[in-house]
Amino acid sequence: MSESSPFPPRLLRTRLYEQVAGQISSWIDDNGLQAGDKLPPERELAQRLGVSRATLSQALVALEVVGVVEVRHGDGTVVTARHQKSSRIVEAIRSHADRLPEVIETRDALETKIASLAAVRRTDDDLARIDDALAFMAADIEAGGRGVEGDERFHGAVTAASHSLLLARLMDEIGDLIKETRLESLGQPGRPQDSLAGHRAIAEAIRAADPAAAAEAMHAHVAMVSDVAIIREAQ
């Protein structure tokens, strides 16, 4: 009797939002959409696909994270120049999900220290930049946006306030990975408001020159972002 050949690798269960993301990407390919072209409104798209708005939103966030589309406040969902063939979309989304916990661990280690240093080293100009970022994010959320740019500005202002060139360089090195977690986190219902509240707690501790409180507030904020990994795994 000849030796049996090894079994193929175990099949991975495709989550519903991944299936929806793949369908949307295939639709983009099939219809020849180019960079700058818009997808149908979310309500219409959800009806066509037969899924809930929540599942569709999750799929669009996943596509935005891997660079297929860009969700623009007031302008809908737009195809980007980075759109790739649909056969690779689920693979790209899953690759992102696999490295998400490690990215969050790195953020926690770096940004907790950064917040602590900022509480000790911040200047009046630093505090003004932090306040400007908070106001920008609040205005965007009030207008119906997700606060993505305001979030980026805030963390950039806190990093600058730490006055550590090496930590700033390390943050810059993982900037693209952090942007992925930012998009994914702020795409969750109610998350922009929660994120803004976390930013305000960090800012208050930095203003009070309390490094321990600033580190604790930043840790709590980054831990909230990690909930996305749990949400993804539960789907």
Side-chain angles (χ1 to χ4, degrees):
M1 180 176 180
S2 61
E3 293 184 5
S4 60
S5 59
F7 281 106
R10 182 178 179 182
L11 294 175
L12 295 175
R13 180 172 64 90
T14 304
R15 300 173 179 87
L16 180 57
Y17 80 90
E18 291 175 341
Q19 296 177 41
V20 173
Q23 286 179 300
I24 293 172
S25 183
S26 294
W27 184 85
I28 292 173
D29 287 342
D30 293 344
N31 288 273
L33 269 63
Q34 302 296 319
D37 290 339
K38 293 183 183 180
L39 298 188
E42 287 192 21
R43 185 181 300 277
E44 178 185 341
L45 201 52
Q47 289 176 343
R48 286 191 189 184
L49 293 168
V51 297
S52 68
R53 289 285 296 275
T55 297
L56 175 64
S57 177
Q58 194 175 27
L60 290 177
V61 168
L63 289 172
E64 186 173 20
V65 164
V66 298
V68 174
V69 301
E70 180 181 354
V71 181
R72 300 175 182 172
H73 173 55
D75 197 30
T77 303
V78 180
V79 178
T80 72
R82 293 174 55 196
H83 175 247
Q84 53 190 307
K85 289 298 181 182
S86 58
S87 60
R88 299 180 56 193
I89 293 302
V90 172
E91 178 184 341
I93 291 172
R94 184 152 287 170
S95 175
H96 160 76
D98 288 343
R99 67 174 179 260
L100 185 58
E102 187 175 1
V103 174
I104 292 170
E105 286 178 0
T106 305
R107 280 197 68 180
D108 188 29
L110 292 177
E111 295 201 76
T112 297
K113 182 62 177 179
I114 284 170
S116 175
L117 290 175
V120 175
R121 300 175 177 176
R122 89 289 188 278
T123 65
D124 288 343
D125 286 343
D126 291 326
L127 291 175
R129 282 191 289 270
I130 289 172
D131 288 341
D132 286 345
L134 288 172
F136 184 91
M137 185 174 183
D140 185 23
I141 294 172
E142 180 67 23
R146 294 175 297 173
V148 173
E149 184 178 346
D151 186 283
E152 186 174 359
R153 289 189 185 190
F154 174 80
H155 286 278
V158 172
T159 298
S162 73
H163 295 277
S164 171
L165 292 177
L166 183 54
L167 285 173
R169 186 178 302 171
L170 290 171
M171 287 296 293
D172 187 58
E173 285 291 326
I174 63 171
D176 287 343
L177 296 175
I178 289 177
K179 183 177 181 179
E180 291 179 358
T181 65
R182 177 174 290 121
L183 289 170
E184 197 154 13
S185 177
L186 293 174
Q188 302 298 323
R191 186 57 59 82
Q193 293 85 349
D194 291 342
S195 183
L196 180 59
H199 288 176
R200 286 172 171 158
I202 296 166
E204 288 174 7
I206 291 173
R207 187 180 303 279
D210 188 336
E216 183 178 352
M218 182 63 81
H219 173 71
H221 177 65
V222 176
M224 179 181 65
V225 175
S226 73
D227 287 348
V228 174
I230 298 172
I231 291 170
R232 283 278 185 250
E233 189 61 32
Q235 296 300 318

